[in-house]
Structures are given as structure tokens and as C-alpha cells.
Amino acid sequence: MKHSDPKKLLMARAASQDHFRTPRIASPFQPRIEALMQTEEWYDWAGYKAPLSLWDEELEYFAIRSQAALFDISPMVKYRIEGPDAEAFLNRVTLRDVRKLKPGRVHYTAWCNDEGHVLDDGTLFRLTSDRFRLCSQERHLPWLLDSGIGFDVNIIEETKSIAALALQGPASFAVLRDAGFNGVDALKIFDLAEFEHDGENVTISRTGFTGDLGYELFVDQKLALSLWDRLWQVGEQRGLRAIGYAALNRARLEAGLIVANSDFITAEHAIRADRVRMPDEIGLGFMIDMEKPHFNGRRAIQQARANGGLRHVLVGLEIEGNIPAEHAIVYHQGKREIGLVSAAIWSPMAKRNIALASLERPYGDTITGDLWVEIYAMRELRYQKLMKRAKVVPRPFIKLDRRTANPPADF
Amino acid sequence: MTSFDAIVIGGGHNGLVAAATLGKTGRKVLVLEADGETGGAARTEEFTPGFRTSSVAHLINRLHPEVIKSLELQKHGLKLDTSPLMPTTVLSAKGAPLTLIGAYGEGLLGASKPEQEAWSGLRSQLFRYAGILKPLLARRPPDLSGMSFAETSAMAMTGISLRRLGKEDMRDFLRMLLMNVADVLDEHIEDDRLKGLLAFDATLGSHLGPRSPTSLLGLYYRLAGEIGGKPGAQVHPVGGTGAVVRAIELAAEQAGVAIRSNVPVARIIIENGRAVGAVLESGEEIRAKTVVSAISPRTTFLNLVGTREIDTGFVRRINNIRVNGDAAKLHLALDRTPQFSGLRTPELNGRLVIAPSVNHVERAFNPSKYGEFSPKPVMEITLPSLLDPSLAPEGACSLSAVVQYAPYALKEGWTTGKPKFLKAILAQLEAHAPGIGKSILHAELLTPLDIEQRYRMPGGHWHHGELQADQMLMSRPVFGAEGYDTPVDGLYLASSGSHPGGGVSGVPGLNAARRIIARKG
């Protein structure tokens, strides 16, 4: 038997599997972001090379709150779900009642496995009566496809083919208007509409992850750069800045929003049996609609609610002092360990030291007094251990009228 | 609108056992059968004028004593003649045949003295080990999330019987549990014919060859059955398998059960997560407190309940049940009794097996892995009309055979494949019974595809899903529905797709009914 040349075989194999040469994928906006990148602070977002910060985390944050900020959300996982049964399908998969979501509207939702454990949270865009876009942190194609058994529905992964931008901040509406998106002023919070760009469509929704006035734009990836340029040209006068995740993370925490696999562990990622969470345990209980038709996890959730199976609770904390309590342990009466802080910052807007924490019930639920966090502040190679008083406070930590004001304010 | 305490979907033997058991408690029960008559894959049908045969299941070797007793089947006409027990003969095209007499080879005719002794040793070992599994294969499978006291003590009894084996036997039991049958046979016996038979019996009705891991389990499953108190015994019931079902049906009717035929169910009505009835294809709606599905678990959930009422993970498991059958059924109408070389009447009245060696069975299995039928199939044959002359015209003879391997998803398709496979089967028969080909008046071959269509069994699998280690006990049909109750309140499973599995045993039906009674459903 004649064997092939092993060198040739090796080369052929390398050519067919060259993904390792680009361990991080470039977003369609990469040329623009690279051009603006000064600090070279990158991070990995779902396999994409994404900016953590481009020039100054602090100033990027203030661009969100006092100017306009452009954040590339292309790496966000996106599915197009369409067909006559799309509504029924999504109603079975997700917690909220999709029948109540009208075409041209967006809602924040989550979905669970059979055990009622949260697989992910995300936003559901109803583009038309039978066409949706589901955006999420993690990938779910096998789950969605298997959920589609018995439904007349088509599920298409469009993470790569659709480029997306978040335009956030008080001047975001002005930027869109100046860029010629006529009619954007009619969008109320959680509305979406199609606008024309380069002879094709761009979907603009009044949504975001900052608790501020803001929009999200979705466009075919081949139009990504021209869309960026269209915004950038008019944005200069409005103080438009490109920002990275670090700044966004501050803004979302002020808005009290949670991040999957940061503030809770998604069911498919959890290795340890006690790390999974039900919606009620991460503050998403409000989404559960027991009146709507059957949805994944319904029986398990109903059972847990009836039998005291909900062991955790996610709370907002206000902590004395000004040292961020990131990943600090939470105590009751300074002794009993009852949970952990998952995210914390000193909030420039709230002028408070804020945090999100996951606590073991009844702490944070019926017992909310006498809570403490133990912060380890590194001071010149020595930890300074700070025991700080914490109190449970409602989320969001800040509420900005401009987020929902109609018509959107022109700054 | 009529209302019942329970409706049973599917009038196969398990559905009827469940219905009768529920009916005996005073419940108002209705059985809905899609076909014109009850019995499912266990009935006696005319396949050509004057010739009747047991359609799919043609031997009775595991009808559970508790089913016979609790439903008083003998009072309702059940006749299982155990004297003499049906022998099994391994045919040999060249040499002499080998015959197992009594209950699965209490005696061995045609083998050497040392081989007889070796077999006697192996036989008692196999029965000892099958006996350990026997209670597990009769009760509700162990509940991992919390067992009642009764269930825990039943499990403990299994542990105790295991301990009673003694240290060495216990070790060997555990060592052998997941072995392949071929290796076990090589350890004990030498006669190719005997090995071929055991290899055939271990793999009958499953997509396994004798050298596939865990194939020994199939043999244990068979040996865990008993007839007339004799483990391993087999009988051909008078009137065919349909007569057994008739007795169960009579017991059900006696218990006040209403049975309707020609009423295919379109869907199960679910309200607030609870099964509350069924809608017939005619549109008629029937309400009940409890719905028992004694049909394929797959059809039950994917078609009748519908995926909208159940969770994705559960649907995924149901959708992944391996249900593709690998066995075909042959019915021949013969103008005379066939002459099998070297056989006389007692043997012809028994079960005849063409499986001359382990290698032969393994080679027959090989093509099925790649979507092809066996060119030299293995089979078990009975001549029912010799035992029950009413099944064929005088002087004529009927032949019923289970033939392997015939993969459901035949690569070339059964339209063109079926005549070719029939030819291969008849060639095998001709080699062992010269002249049989000329005496054929009519031949009916049921491929798994035919069985699927005719008996509404997805994949045409008579166990309603492969009976292998990963689809047994608490994994049968899938985790989440293993204890006959299901994620849908008020809906229970009762077919052979549930634990312990197929064969005419009545155990799934009996256990399902008992579960319903225990839960006051």
C-alpha cells in the first residue's frame, strides 16, 4: 500500500483547520476600533477580540453619562427566529409571555432548562409578527433547535452576519438625528423600527445596557463600517466616543443590570451542583408568567416556589465608605458568612458605594439588617481588612429621566 | 360528553392489563384502540385465506405469574399447555441438529457428554444470575430521588439475594453483568450449535451482535421470564398469541372496562399541565381523571401530548430513544408440513433456530450496522399449525419466523430491499428444509417498516425502543418518565417502551396500573 507524503498530509490538515491562527475573531468594526485604540487593552468576548478600554476607562464612562458613547456589540450572540410558530416557540422557551410582545417592541427575558435553572438572559426583539431576534450572552443553538421539535419555526444563528452597535448617552438621540435617521424621535423605550442605510435596512431600537438614553443598531455586517462612519462624522460635535467594556460595566451596574456568568452562573456552565440558579434567585422572578401556556422549567419553578426550594437571592447593596467591595464576602452580624459580592463600584452618579451580591436566604430576603462586607484593600503589599456595614437597597441604583423621556431630549 | 376515571390509549396486551387492573378497583375505564381489533403486536391474524398466525410475538415465555393470577386469566380462557414444554432445536445444514428439551435446556440432545455437563453448569449459573435481576425486572424501577419504604426494602432484597450467592458467585455475577455473550460462551462451552443458539437468543430483537458489549443482558432478560413456574420455558398458546390477549380482554370486560376499537387518538388534552382526556381523530372528546398511554412513549409525547406541553430537555431525551427495529417477521402458508433434515415430530412442534455458530450470528449482524440486511439471516421458526390445527387448512401448514437482521433504515429502501431479503431468507430455509420453496402458497414478510405502519410502532421495534443497558431500568423509556408517571400530571405510560420492556409479559401494564392506584390517580 502506498502512503501519502506525511508532510503533504500535515499541510492539508493545517489548511483545513486554521482557526487556531486567529484565536480571537475580529468584529466587523475592527478597523475603526483598532484605529482608535490607544491603550491596547483587549479582552475576549465570546471568542471576539473586544476593547476593554480604548483610551481612558474613567473618561469613557463619562462619555456614556454626559456625551454619547459607541460600543461594539457585534460579539453578542444573535439568533433569528422566524416562522408561523415563532411566537409559540419563544413562548415555550422563554419565561415572559411573548404574546404580549407586539411587533416593533423589545423585551428583556430569560430562559431555563427543565430543572428551572437559568440558561441565560437576553433581549427578544419582535421584528414582525412572525420574525424575532433573540440576543444573549451564551450560545444556545442546539438548545433552540431541540426546542423547535414540533414547531414550524426556523432558527438561524446570525452572530457573525449581523453587526451591531450600542449608541448610549444623553446625546445619542441627537447623533442619530444628525446622521439623518428621520423618525428616530418617535421611538419610545423598548421600541424598534427599520431605517434606511446605504439602500438597505438598519434596525434601531431604543434599548441599551446603561440605564441611560440610548439605542442599539443592527445591520448586515457588510454595511458595518459605513454605518460607523455615518455616526462618527456627525458625532464629533456631540462628544461621541468609542468605549470599551470596562466603562459599560460601570454604567450597567449603576443601572442594576446583571451579567450572565458574572453575577450568576448559567446552568450549562455550572460544574458544581449548587451554583445553578432559578430566576427567583437572581431577581428575574418578575418575568415568570404562570398564566401563560407551558414554558421550559415551569413545573420545576412551581415546585421550588411551593416547597421552599429557592435558596438564594440576588440583592443590591449600598456599602459604607468608598472602597469598591468587588468579590467581598458578605456576613450577617459580622460573623456568619451568607454570600458574595459579584460586582461593585463607587458610583459617580449615585455618589454611593454600590454592589450586587448573591445571598443565601433568608438573608437578603426576610433578614436584611446587620449585614457586613469584608473588603480586602491592597495597600503597598499588605491587605487592609475592612469590615463595612452594608444595607440592601432597591435596584436600579440610579434612575435617569432622560432614559424614558418622550420625545428624547436633545443635548 | 362522557367522563371516565381512566382512559387507556392502546389496546395492546399491556394496555388491556392496565385497564383490567384499574377496572378491578372499581374505576370506570375506557380502552381506545386505533385498529379494528385489540392485541397490538400480539394477536392472531389471517395472513392469507385459511391461514392464521401470531403476528409479531409468536411465543409466550414471560407472561408474568402476577398478571395471570391477579387477572385470573385461566378463568378467562388462558391455555398455556406446558406438557411437554416446547423444545428448541438448533438446525444444522450439514451435521446433526441439537435439541434443548424442558425449560430452556434442562436436557440437551445431540451433544457430547462433556458438553452436556458444561451446559448444565452454565445453565444453572445463568439462571442463578438472571434470578438476581428477576425482581428488578418485575417491579417499578428504583427511584433515585427518593424511594418509599416498600421500594427500598425490595431493593434491599435484591442486595440480600446477591449476598446469598456467596462471595465468588457474586464476584462473577458482577464481572459478567455487562459482558458480551460470545465471551461468556467461550469461557464455558464448545459446541458451536449451542453457542450459536445462545448468541441468537441473547441478541434477538435488539441491534446487537453477540460480540457487542452488554449482549449477555438480552439472555438474562429472556431467562428472567417464566411459564408455569418454570424459568426459561416457552409455549405456543392454543389459538395463537391472540388467544392470550383475548383472555386479558375478557378479564378487562369482566372488570367493567369499556373497549372501543377503530378510534385512533389524535391528541391528549392537557389543561394547566395536567392530562384530562383525549381527542379522537373523529374529533370526539373524552374526559378522564387519568390518561394511560399504552403505546409508544415517543408517539405519546411527540404526537399526542405535543412538545409544547413538555420541557425541551425531556423532548430531547424522548427524541433520542433508539427505536429502530432490526428484526423482521415471516409468515408462510405451506401446502404441506416441511421436512427439516434430521427432525421428527417432537422437534417440529418446538422452536427451530437457524444460528449455527456465534460467528454466523455476528456475520449476520455486521451488515445491519451499515444499513444492509443479512445475506444469510438467522431466525427462529415455529410451525404453529402443528400445535394448533385450527390455524391452517387440513393437510397444510403455517410457518412463523422471526428473522434477523433487517435494519429499519435499510440503505436501499425496503421497496426494493424486501423482495431481495425474502429471497435470502427462503434460501436459508431451503438449505435446512429442502423442497420448502416449492410448497409455499403464500409468503408475507413484515419488515420493521411494515411493523411500524401496521402496528403503529415507531421504528417497528417490538420493545418500543432498544432494550439495552442505557435504555433499561430508570432510563426506560427516559429519565423523567421511568416510574410510569410522567412530567405531565395525570398521564401515565404503560407500554413495553416502559420498564422492564417488551415481550408478552404484561408487567409494564400491571406496574403502571399499580402506580396509578398508589397515587390515587
Side-chain angles (χ1 to χ4, degrees):
Chain A
M1 196 171 118
K2 197 169 164 267
H3 290 276
S4 311
D5 180 358
K7 259 189 196 164
K8 270 190 194 164
L9 268 176
L10 204 64
M11 278 169 66
R13 186 186 292 177
S16 69
Q17 305 179 347
D18 67 344
H19 57 280
F20 67 91
R21 294 186 202 283
T22 44
R24 285 187 187 171
I25 314 162
S27 146
F29 298 107
Q30 207 67 13
R32 299 296 179 267
I33 295 167
E34 297 268 3
L36 296 164
M37 178 54 101
Q38 295 178 19
T39 57
E40 297 298 341
E41 285 180 67
W42 301 96
Y43 81 114
D44 184 309
W45 178 5
Y48 281 79
K49 180 181 180 183
L52 191 60
S53 162
L54 287 95
W55 49 294
D56 185 301
E57 183 184 324
E58 199 82 16
L59 295 176
E60 286 169 35
Y61 162 79
F62 281 108
I64 302 174
R65 292 291 181 225
S66 39
Q67 299 148 240
L70 204 50
F71 181 65
D72 177 11
I73 52 171
S74 303
M76 190 166 62
V77 176
K78 302 177 279 292
Y79 298 102
R80 194 162 77 245
I81 294 159
E82 51 194 25
D85 285 346
E87 180 189 271
F89 164 80
L90 284 160
N91 222 15
R92 195 285 209 93
V93 171
T94 64
L95 297 176
R96 294 180 77 169
D97 193 344
V98 181
R99 296 173 305 180
K100 292 180 182 160
L101 181 68
K102 296 194 173 66
R105 293 285 292 166
V106 183
H107 71 201
Y108 172 46
T109 189
W111 48 103
C112 295
N113 60 15
D114 295 24
E115 290 72 40
H117 298 137
V118 178
L119 287 165
D120 211 343
D121 61 347
T123 40
L124 182 63
F125 296 68
R126 187 160 202 169
L127 305 172
T128 65
S129 67
D130 59 359
R131 205 156 56 88
F132 294 83
R133 174 173 291 138
L134 182 66
C135 298
S136 62
Q137 178 76 10
E138 302 295 333
R139 299 202 182 245
H140 300 283
L141 193 59
W143 181 258
L144 294 176
L145 290 174
D146 285 349
S147 299
I149 297 169
F151 290 87
D152 186 358
V153 65
N154 212 2
I155 301 145
I156 304 137
E157 155 92 59
E158 56 176 16
T159 306
K160 261 193 167 173
S161 56
I162 299 292
L165 286 171
L167 176 64
Q168 303 281 306
S172 54
F173 162 67
V175 170
L176 286 177
R177 187 203 49 209
D178 293 354
F181 292 109
N182 296 326
V184 160
D185 56 320
L187 292 180
K188 298 193 174 71
I189 185 99
F190 291 119
D191 275 354
L192 69 83
E194 303 270 309
F195 295 86
E196 196 266 325
H197 176 68
D198 262 11
E200 290 195 33
N201 278 341
V202 52
T203 305
I204 302 181
S205 55
R206 188 163 165 188
T207 50
F209 207 53
T210 57
D212 215 309
L213 173 62
Y215 299 86
E216 288 172 320
L217 298 84
F218 297 83
V219 73
D220 188 295
Q221 53 83 29
K222 67 177 189 290
L223 299 178
L225 295 179
S226 68
L227 178 67
W228 177 288
D229 295 342
R230 182 171 170 183
L231 300 172
W232 202 252
Q233 271 157 21
V234 297
E236 209 159 2
Q237 300 148 32
R238 305 278 172 183
L240 180 65
R241 298 284 184 273
I243 63 158
Y245 181 71
L248 182 81
N249 192 37
R250 293 185 185 203
R252 71 92 186 174
L253 185 49
E254 288 182 322
L257 301 169
I258 56 171
V259 174
N261 288 320
S262 181
D263 298 303
F264 71 96
I265 305 299
T266 55
E268 296 213 320
H269 278 250
I271 294 166
R272 296 160 182 85
D274 64 341
R275 300 303 200 272
V276 289
R277 291 290 182 271
M278 289 192 149
D280 289 308
E281 297 178 295
I282 54 172
L284 303 184
F286 73 93
M287 293 175 175
I288 298 167
D289 189 339
M290 285 296 186
E291 303 306 311
K292 76 168 198 170
H294 180 76
F295 57 91
N296 281 339
R298 186 184 194 275
R299 288 181 186 95
I301 290 168
Q302 208 168 22
Q303 224 161 31
R305 281 181 169 183
N307 308 337
L310 303 166
R311 300 210 172 81
H312 301 91
V313 63
L314 190 133
V315 295
L317 292 180
E318 188 181 322
I319 298 159
E320 66 171 329
N322 60 6
I323 315 288
E326 198 158 27
H327 295 143
I329 293 173
V330 185
Y331 293 88
H332 181 242
Q333 294 180 334
K335 296 189 296 281
R336 189 192 169 95
E337 208 179 303
I338 56 162
L340 187 84
V341 170
S342 56
I345 56 161
W346 163 258
S347 162
M349 292 293 279
K351 304 285 186 285
R352 288 186 289 164
N353 201 21
I354 60 169
L356 293 176
S358 182
L359 305 183
E360 283 165 36
R361 290 176 199 242
Y363 302 102
D365 182 21
T366 52
I367 304 176
T368 52
D370 214 354
L371 302 186
W372 300 79
V373 295
E374 189 179 37
I375 306 169
Y376 282 77
M378 179 66 91
R379 298 284 180 264
E380 296 180 324
L381 284 187
R382 185 169 296 174
Y383 272 126
Q384 194 176 335
K385 202 170 94 178
L386 309 165
M387 217 24 147
K388 294 289 182 186
R389 203 171 263 284
K391 70 171 190 217
V392 174
V393 295
R395 290 180 289 145
F397 299 101
I398 59 155
K399 213 167 172 186
L400 300 170
D401 291 339
R402 62 180 180 247
R403 171 172 172 265
T404 52
N406 290 311
D410 181 6
F411 287 94
Chain B
M1 192 167 56
T2 38
S3 180
F4 291 84
D5 291 317
I7 50 179
V8 177
I9 302 169
H13 79 278
N14 277 309
L16 293 171
V17 167
T21 309
L22 290 172
K24 277 170 70 94
T25 64
R27 283 172 172 79
K28 205 174 150 198
V29 184
L30 171 69
V31 175
L32 299 170
E33 168 57 43
D35 208 346
E37 61 169 316
T38 55
R43 56 177 122 165
T44 311
E45 289 177 299
E46 188 171 67
F47 64 99
T48 190
F51 291 84
R52 292 192 304 137
T53 186
S54 307
S55 305
V56 179
H58 65 171
L59 286 172
I60 299 294
N61 57 17
R62 58 184 321 110
L63 185 60
H64 203 275
E66 278 186 51
V67 173
I68 298 175
K69 197 173 144 218
S70 70
L71 299 183
E72 300 173 291
L73 294 186
Q74 261 134 355
K75 219 176 86 188
H76 294 104
L78 177 73
K79 279 199 206 91
L80 298 177
D81 194 2
T82 52
S83 56
L85 284 170
M86 270 178 100
T88 293
T89 299
V90 196
L91 304 178
S92 174
K94 292 170 209 137
L98 179 82
T99 301
L100 280 73
I101 54 168
Y104 211 80
E106 286 170 287
L108 191 59
L109 308 178
S112 70
K113 188 91 184 134
E115 192 64 6
Q116 287 182 23
E117 275 165 23
W119 164 240
S120 159
L122 174 60
R123 182 182 177 277
S124 62
Q125 193 180 9
L126 290 173
F127 273 112
R128 222 159 48 236
Y129 296 172
I132 303 285
L133 301 172
K134 206 166 174 170
L136 286 177
L137 294 174
R139 294 195 185 89
R140 190 171 171 264
D143 188 342
L144 298 182
S145 64
M147 278 190 278
S148 69
F149 178 73
E151 285 174 316
T152 313
S153 23
M155 277 297 282
M157 282 311 290
T158 305
I160 289 167
S161 57
L162 193 56
R163 284 300 292 269
R164 230 181 255 143
L165 282 177
K167 210 159 87 186
E168 266 180 50
D169 229 12
M170 181 163 70
R171 197 164 57 210
D172 230 22
F173 169 77
L174 293 171
R175 178 183 71 89
M176 286 164 64
L177 192 59
L178 298 179
M179 272 178 79
N180 75 58
V181 66
D183 284 346
V184 172
L185 299 176
D186 284 344
E187 286 176 1
H188 293 90
I189 52 176
E190 283 178 358
D191 193 306
D192 273 345
R193 298 165 299 176
L194 184 56
K195 284 191 192 178
L197 169 72
L198 292 160
F200 175 82
D201 280 349
T203 54
L204 188 62
S206 72
H207 183 65
L208 289 176
R211 292 200 180 86
S212 310
T214 73
S215 60
L216 182 65
L217 281 178
L219 193 58
Y220 283 151
Y221 186 76
R222 182 189 189 96
L223 299 182
E226 63 173 72
I227 289 299
K230 295 210 152 205
Q234 60 191 3
V235 290
H236 181 276
V238 175
T241 321
V244 175
V245 171
R246 200 60 57 226
I248 303 171
E249 194 172 9
L250 279 174
E253 280 166 358
Q254 190 87 44
V257 173
I259 300 170
R260 288 178 63 184
S261 49
N262 286 316
V263 281
V265 172
R267 63 182 181 87
I268 292 169
I269 309 166
I270 315 280
E271 282 172 7
N272 296 320
R274 190 180 171 86
V276 294
V279 179
L280 307 182
E281 276 182 12
S282 63
E284 185 187 342
E285 201 177 300
I286 302 164
R287 296 255 157 180
K289 192 173 152 212
T290 299
V291 178
V292 186
S293 179
I295 61 166
S296 146
R298 197 186 166 93
T299 311
T300 303
F301 288 106
L302 299 188
N303 302 87
L304 300 192
V305 171
T307 53
R308 281 157 210 232
E309 296 295 340
I310 38 178
D311 292 341
T312 297
F314 186 76
V315 171
R316 192 182 250 175
R317 292 199 290 276
I318 290 285
N319 203 44
N320 286 342
I321 303 172
R322 300 193 308 286
V323 295
N324 285 358
D326 213 349
K329 186 74 201 294
L330 176 75
H331 303 138
L332 293 182
L334 306 168
D335 61 13
R336 75 194 84 130
T337 304
Q339 295 305 307
F340 282 89
S341 333
L343 300 201
R344 284 163 309 154
T345 311
E347 288 95 58
L348 289 178
N349 284 346
R351 178 170 74 120
L352 313 176
V353 174
I354 301 180
S357 66
V358 169
N359 277 351
H360 187 107
V361 182
E362 188 72 26
R363 284 201 186 100
F365 171 61
N366 285 341
S368 76
K369 292 184 278 190
Y370 311 105
E372 292 156 21
F373 61 74
S374 314
K376 286 189 174 170
V378 289
M379 63 190 92
E380 75 168 20
I381 303 158
T382 60
L383 302 169
S385 64
L386 297 188
L387 297 158
D388 179 355
S390 74
L391 296 174
E394 213 181 316
C397 183
S398 63
L399 181 149
S400 165
V402 179
V403 190
Q404 298 203 133
Y405 292 84
Y408 170 77
L410 191 74
K411 211 162 56 188
E412 71 161 303
W414 280 112
T415 316
T416 56
K418 190 164 154 175
K420 291 182 199 164
F421 188 48
L422 180 60
K423 212 174 139 188
I425 299 167
L426 295 181
Q428 275 290 80
L429 279 172
E430 190 70 32
H432 294 88
I436 193 170
K438 282 191 206 113
S439 68
I440 298 172
L441 301 169
H442 180 78
E444 176 186 66
L445 178 62
L446 301 177
T447 67
L449 191 66
D450 297 318
I451 295 172
E452 173 184 73
Q453 286 163 0
R454 194 186 284 194
Y455 302 103
R456 297 170 183 250
M457 304 170 98
H461 202 300
W462 77 59
H463 287 292
H464 276 313
E466 273 288 301
L467 195 60
Q468 291 185 27
D470 65 309
Q471 296 194 160
M472 288 176 98
L473 289 162
M474 45 281 198
S475 304
R476 187 167 189 87
V478 297
F479 165 68
E482 73 280 17
Y484 309 101
D485 46 308
T486 70
V488 180
D489 289 336
L491 174 66
Y492 293 81
L493 299 180
S495 79
S496 66
S498 284
H499 175 76
V504 183
S505 75
V507 175
L510 181 69
N511 283 358
R514 286 180 171 172
R515 180 69 176 159
I516 294 163
I517 294 163
R519 297 179 98 204
K520 302 186 171 38

